[in-house]
Amino acid sequence: MDNPEKFYITTPIYYVNARPHIGHTYTTVVCDAIARRQRMMGMDTWFLTGTDEHGQKIERSAAAAGCSPREFVDRIASEFRALWDRMKITYDDFIRTTEPRHVRGVQAMFSRLQERGYIYKGSYSGQYCVFDELYVDAVGPGVPCPECGRPTETVCEENYFFKLSAMEEPLLKYYSEHPDFIRPEARRNEVIAFVRSGLRDLSVSRTSFKWGIPVPNDPRHVIYVWLDALANYLTAIGFGSDTPADKQELERYWPADVHMIGKEIVRFHCVYWPAFLLAADLPLPRSIMAHGWLLFEENKMSKSRGNIVRSETILDTLGGDALRYFLLREIVFGQDGSFSFDALVQRFNADLANDLGNLSSRTLSMITRYFEGEVPYPSHSERTPADEAIGNLAQQTIADFHAQFEQFQFSRALETAWSLVAAVNKYIVENEPWAVAERDDKDSRARLATILYTSAEALRVVTALVHPVIPDATSRIWMQLGLGEISDLDLRSLAWGQLQLGAKLGKIEPVFPRADKSTIERMQQMEQQRSTGGVSKEATAASPDAPPGETGARPGHPATQGATPPVPAAAIENKITIDDFLKVEMRVGEVKVAEKVKGADKLLRMEVDIGSEVRQIVAGIAKAYQPEKLIGRKVVIVTNLQPRKLRGLESNGMIVAASLGDEGQPVLAGFLEDVPAGAKLK
Ligand code: ME8
């Protein structure tokens, strides 16, 4: 059943009782980087993520938000998807536990366990923790849950039970025969100790609420959320379906190679899940990798603690690559790590803007200046030890990076790549290509070619290696190196000396504009606004691009719950007819060029593709948006306004933005889904 050429990786499926935060982003980005690299290594890769949508916790969150569970889960699931799209997460499938394919698969799993004699009917009376969806039989009424410290509820229920006690020995045997099954070692030891201390049968159905998957032939019961949730790893690839295509897919990808999880759900993944699979006589996943927690202000970042940071804040300021790089570089994988805006900006400026950004911009701009934008031919006879050293270091870097990445040592692997960046930057400073360029003789010209070739080749090697971690910037550097689409690269054959000589460089533009102090303040303000809901109504109404935390619909947030902002009387009198509205033509535009207008610190000049043509638009958004960040962004353009001149430049259309606060800070309107340039708004 197991095909060594395939690689199946999963994230946990996230609860939809709360919005995504950077803790969720952490696991997802780690998996994305692994999946991207596996694809570049020629593996038949399948990357699954999704949302966990059943259970009492979610039923109650929906009730608190004043909507049906279905509406509630649809809304939050789409927020997760939209965030992953903005983070450039290349998941192959997104499973939702409310989908028919999952419901069918979970019921098939339940029946299979029942038929094999591992499920029986019994009853439970005792304490129940709604938050953990767990019976906590060790405590009496009024005593908080030993897992999470929250109050427990007394319940008396008839239940189906899974014979977990029968799995004690088979599990211990499996752990001992598969030393890499649970990683890291510390987690494996904890699990073994837990199983050795004795396992009791597990209740796998509930009658106290309805929002779940009915037990086959006994719909008074819904299936325990963790049995429901864990099965996603199988149902997403066709388990429970009879179609030949689904059967083939299951055969192709199961068992999973890595279930990536946070350390708080180790017991469910390393004890219950393998126990269900052993009982169902299905192969077990190859490995379960538990990482540490992202801490904020010393505590685990979590919605219930109220100390979360949202990825959108970073996406809106520094961009997705900055967050992806920070999470993999700053946190030693497996251990807990702290997040702070200061550390994020420091890493961004030091490693991305300075080290990699400088290497890229100075190498490429010197090739443009001195060799008319064509990769120069290095001299084969006149290599100095310094040139050789860079080539050797690059080869070593490739080998070390691969080994470290494969060992899940992401931080070390990036450190390795950045040692090469530092060495090349030093090489450039020491070899002074700018001074060599001033000497206009043949030897100097050859020397200059060698220095710039060596630098560009090292840049190519680093760019290829770190592409899975910072996909956006590396794709752009690759283009600038004249190499086309980086996604076509086969990482297995990456070696020193493959840079295409004479290749014409692409258009050179900075990839990481430096962040300054005000970026930290802006991020803090955005977080504060998100947590207090303190964004002005204008933004709520006018900015569909505002991340969900900023819209009127905040589930569980009493201040804005289901609220429609009151419409002032004057506005009613001033209502326009649909014909008036139809006079305004609005289209989706894609920003192709953006640059500051000389002598006007508020204005940006943009060239925007509106489908049928590219328009020049001048807008007063320079204080809120760095031009580089706008390139490629989809915006809304009023296309049938009379052209007007601003600072001598004709502006042919208007970009739509919300206007925040007294200063009228602009926030551009946009879309969560992908929309083509030229699409009409109505
Ligand atoms: O547990 N640091 O969902 P969940 C690092 N639905 N990772 C974090 C984190 C933090 N502060 N906060 C969250 C569930 N995570 C179940 C899973 S799987 C069959 C069912 C990440 O929404 C981390 O991966 O509580 C953690 O395990 C997961 O989100 C928990 O997500």
Side-chain angles (χ1 to χ4, degrees):
M1 209 173 182
D2 203 358
N3 162 16
E5 296 300 308
K6 69 89 179 145
F7 183 81
Y8 176 28
I9 185 166
T10 66
T11 70
I13 47 170
Y14 304 112
Y15 283 130
V16 290
N17 65 324
R19 297 215 147 87
H21 57 73
I22 63 169
H24 304 112
T25 301
Y26 179 52
T27 319
T28 313
V29 161
V30 166
C31 289
D32 185 59
I34 297 173
R36 280 175 180 270
R37 184 173 166 282
Q38 289 289 349
R39 289 189 201 106
M40 290 173 82
M41 299 293 280
M43 288 294 248
D44 172 11
T45 303
W46 198 253
F47 169 20
L48 175 71
T49 188
T51 39
D52 189 352
E53 305 187 355
H54 286 132
Q56 195 163 17
K57 195 158 57 173
I58 287 159
E59 198 177 64
R60 287 185 182 175
S61 298
C67 62
S68 71
R70 165 62 62 189
E71 282 169 326
F72 184 75
V73 300
D74 282 352
R75 188 194 304 157
I76 309 275
S78 68
E79 286 180 20
F80 271 96
R81 272 187 108 118
L83 174 61
W84 299 154
D85 291 346
R86 282 193 78 193
M87 286 298 303
K88 303 262 161 55
I89 303 295
T90 57
Y91 57 86
D92 294 291
D93 193 4
F94 188 101
I95 178 100
R96 299 181 54 191
T97 57
T98 49
E99 284 177 75
R101 60 172 172 160
H102 178 75
V103 171
R104 184 181 58 209
V106 170
Q107 289 181 328
M109 173 68 95
F110 195 94
S111 301
R112 185 166 170 140
L113 293 171
Q114 229 171 0
E115 281 154 22
R116 293 177 58 82
Y118 284 95
I119 286 184
Y120 63 92
K121 221 174 199 180
S123 70
Y124 175 86
S125 66
Q127 297 311 112
Y128 185 67
C129 172
V130 173
F131 184 82
D132 291 327
E133 306 270 13
L134 263 185
Y135 289 106
V136 277
D137 28 32
V139 305
V143 180
C145 168
E147 294 287 326
C148 68
R150 292 177 177 78
T152 57
E153 298 176 11
T154 307
V155 294
C156 180
E157 277 192 278
E158 180 192 67
N159 288 134
Y160 286 92
F161 282 83
F162 171 73
K163 283 189 189 163
L164 187 62
S165 56
M167 304 318 290
E168 213 172 291
E169 284 313 312
L171 281 172
L172 289 170
K173 182 164 176 282
Y174 194 87
Y175 302 146
S176 104
E177 286 170 1
H178 300 84
D180 282 342
F181 178 58
I182 303 167
R183 288 184 283 177
E185 187 71 20
R187 301 277 103 80
R188 172 181 146 83
N189 295 339
E190 277 166 27
V191 169
I192 293 177
F194 174 78
V195 175
R196 279 213 183 109
S197 72
L199 295 177
R200 300 173 63 170
D201 288 353
L202 181 71
S203 157
V204 286
S205 77
R206 303 283 186 266
T207 51
S208 50
F209 63 93
K210 286 269 154 270
W211 185 242
I213 300 178
V215 165
N217 305 317
D218 197 355
R220 247 177 10 96
H221 293 257
V222 293
I223 296 172
Y224 173 45
V225 276
W226 273 99
L227 173 52
D228 167 346
L230 288 160
N232 89 87
Y233 303 131
L234 273 172
T235 61
I237 53 167
F239 180 84
S241 162
D242 287 331
T243 71
D246 286 341
K247 284 186 164 171
Q248 221 178 358
E249 175 144 308
L250 185 65
E251 185 77 14
R252 180 166 162 195
Y253 290 117
W254 192 257
D257 293 81
V258 181
H259 287 324
M260 183 69 70
I261 58 169
K263 65 182 179 182
E264 80 290 354
I265 51 176
V266 161
R267 188 188 309 168
F268 301 100
H269 282 79
C270 304
V271 181
Y272 299 172
W273 181 225
F276 296 147
L277 291 168
L278 285 170
D281 193 26
L282 289 164
L284 270 54
R286 288 255 190 100
S287 70
I288 296 152
M289 176 55 88
H291 63 66
W293 284 336
L294 212 55
L295 310 175
F296 192 60
E297 290 154 4
E298 313 274 303
N299 282 310
K300 177 179 181 234
M301 193 179 288
S302 75
K303 170 81 182 177
S304 50
R305 282 206 175 83
N307 65 344
I308 58 167
V309 173
R310 293 174 40 103
S311 311
E312 286 82 351
T313 295
I314 299 151
L315 276 161
D316 291 345
T317 45
L318 297 174
D321 276 355
L323 179 55
R324 294 173 64 105
Y325 177 77
F326 177 86
L327 293 173
L328 271 84
R329 174 65 184 85
E330 188 82 8
I331 293 151
V332 175
F333 189 73
Q335 298 175 17
D336 292 350
S338 287
F339 177 86
S340 77
F341 289 121
D342 281 10
L344 172 72
V345 167
Q346 244 178 50
R347 273 267 168 233
F348 177 81
N349 278 340
D351 296 8
L352 298 179
N354 274 0
D355 293 349
L356 183 58
N358 278 350
L359 172 61
S360 160
S361 65
R362 63 184 171 183
T363 303
L364 298 173
S365 63
M366 281 191 282
I367 294 178
T368 304
R369 194 170 330 131
Y370 304 133
F371 293 94
E372 279 152 15
E374 279 181 17
V375 174
Y377 284 65
S379 157
H380 286 293
S381 50
E382 305 277 322
R383 295 258 179 105
T384 65
D387 307 335
E388 298 288 345
I390 294 291
N392 294 339
L393 180 64
Q395 282 291 26
Q396 191 57 47
T397 301
I398 296 171
D400 292 349
F401 186 93
H402 280 319
Q404 289 157 351
F405 207 97
E406 256 151 42
Q407 289 300 312
F408 297 90
Q409 296 172 355
F410 310 113
S411 181
R412 278 192 66 194
L414 290 170
E415 212 178 325
T416 300
W418 257 257
S419 303
L420 177 60
V421 173
V424 188
N425 275 329
K426 187 160 170 263
Y427 165 87
I428 295 176
V429 170
E430 287 174 357
N431 285 277
E432 299 186 311
W434 42 86
V436 180
E438 294 200 341
R439 299 195 287 273
D440 204 11
D441 55 276
K442 207 168 146 229
D443 285 353
S444 300
R445 188 82 186 144
R447 181 78 206 119
L448 182 62
T450 304
I451 299 169
L452 293 183
Y453 167 84
T454 306
S455 310
E457 174 56 354
L459 173 64
R460 184 188 70 91
V461 166
V462 169
T463 304
L465 288 175
V466 304
H467 175 64
V469 180
I470 44 172
D472 217 21
T474 47
S475 305
R476 283 189 280 144
I477 296 175
W478 203 252
M479 282 281 179
Q480 295 181 28
L481 275 165
L483 297 169
E485 292 291 337
I486 198 166
S487 48
D488 297 338
L489 174 72
D490 184 342
L491 209 49
R492 286 169 296 186
S493 54
L494 180 70
W496 180 260
Q498 296 166 328
L499 183 60
Q500 253 176 293
L501 302 175
K504 187 96 188 112
L505 298 189
K507 191 170 172 232
I508 312 301
E509 51 192 32
V511 272
F512 301 112
R514 260 186 88 80
D516 56 28
K517 265 220 160 119
S518 70
T519 315
I520 300 180
E521 281 156 25
R522 261 172 63 215
M523 288 193 285
Q524 281 163 342
Q525 271 168 11
M526 285 163 112
E527 272 309 315
Q528 215 165 12
Q529 283 177 336
R530 283 186 166 123
S531 61
T532 56
V535 172
S536 76
K537 288 222 176 70
E538 289 158 89
T540 312
S543 175
D545 194 33
E550 294 182 353
T551 67
R554 284 176 62 84
H557 201 284
T560 50
Q561 233 178 66
T564 313
V567 182
I572 297 171
E573 275 147 32
N574 286 339
K575 275 182 174 174
I576 59 169
T577 66
I578 186 77
D579 291 337
D580 291 332
F581 175 72
L582 288 176
K583 284 184 198 152
V584 181
E585 186 185 86
M586 283 187 280
R587 285 185 188 271
V588 176
E590 182 175 340
V591 180
K592 294 290 183 191
V593 173
E595 58 192 22
K596 294 207 156 147
V597 174
K598 260 201 192 136
D601 58 355
K602 279 194 180 161
L603 290 183
L604 283 189
R605 185 191 81 85
M606 284 165 286
E607 287 172 30
V608 183
D609 179 355
I610 56 162
S612 48
E613 62 186 297
V614 176
R615 291 272 186 94
Q616 170 167 287
I617 290 170
V618 182
I621 57 172
K623 290 218 159 137
Y625 291 92
Q626 289 167 335
E628 301 80 9
K629 293 252 171 79
L630 289 175
I631 292 165
R633 182 165 166 158
K634 297 276 172 54
V635 291
V636 176
I637 302 292
V638 179
T639 49
N640 60 342
L641 274 183
Q642 303 244 355
R644 61 181 187 142
K645 279 211 167 163
L646 289 159
R647 297 270 170 157
L649 294 168
E650 184 174 289
S651 183
N652 201 351
M654 190 183 87
I655 194 159
V656 178
S659 171
L660 301 193
D662 297 341
E663 306 262 283
Q665 187 206 342
V667 177
L668 291 179
F671 303 89
L672 290 176
E673 287 84 11
D674 198 20
V675 281
K680 248 182 144 176
L681 276 82
K682 46 182 186 176

